[in-house]
Amino acid sequence: MSIGPFGFTASSVAQLGQQASMYIPDDFLGMPHTVAIIQVVSLLVSLWLWGLAFWFFIVSVGSLWKYVRVGSHLPFQMTWWSFVFPNTALVRLHPRLLPHE
């Protein structure tokens, strides 16, 4: 399942866009809105990558549709790990959105 790389990259690009104002001066290249443009572009790119990851998730779930029938079972395979780890990329939350202890 090719969800992990796209999901984690989307999260990283969005976070880089949020931190652009810390590293790029206000009048970079003589344009006053450079930071805002970078933030919008990074958000759009990360949403597209997240959507691509979600599409691959739907395709992967669809490939297992044959096991939903009554009387069939999903045999054990080492590829079961692809159900666990990559899906965390789709639901990864920003640390500020997590509940405080």
Side-chain angles (χ1 to χ4, degrees), residues 6-66:
F6 292 111
F8 288 118
T9 303
S11 175
S12 299
V13 168
Q15 289 180 10
L16 284 172
Q18 287 177 350
Q19 296 180 4
S21 62
M22 294 171 47
Y23 300 103
I24 299 175
D26 292 335
D27 60 347
F28 184 71
L29 296 177
M31 296 178 59
H33 303 295
T34 304
V35 172
I37 291 170
I38 289 175
Q39 289 175 343
V40 169
V41 169
S42 69
L43 180 64
L44 292 175
V45 168
S46 63
L47 284 174
W48 184 79
L49 286 171
W50 187 85
L52 190 61
F54 190 73
W55 168 253
F56 284 134
F57 173 74
I58 296 296
V59 169
S60 299
V61 169
S63 69
L64 299 172
W65 189 253
K66 62 184 175 184

Side-chain angles (χ1 to χ4, degrees), residues 62-86:
S63 69
L64 299 172
W65 189 253
K66 62 184 175 184
Y67 296 114
V68 175
R69 295 185 315 227
V70 176
S72 65
H73 67 285
L74 183 63
F76 176 77
Q77 297 173 350
M78 288 302 292
T79 57
W80 279 11
W81 287 109
S82 67
F83 288 115
V84 179
F85 173 71

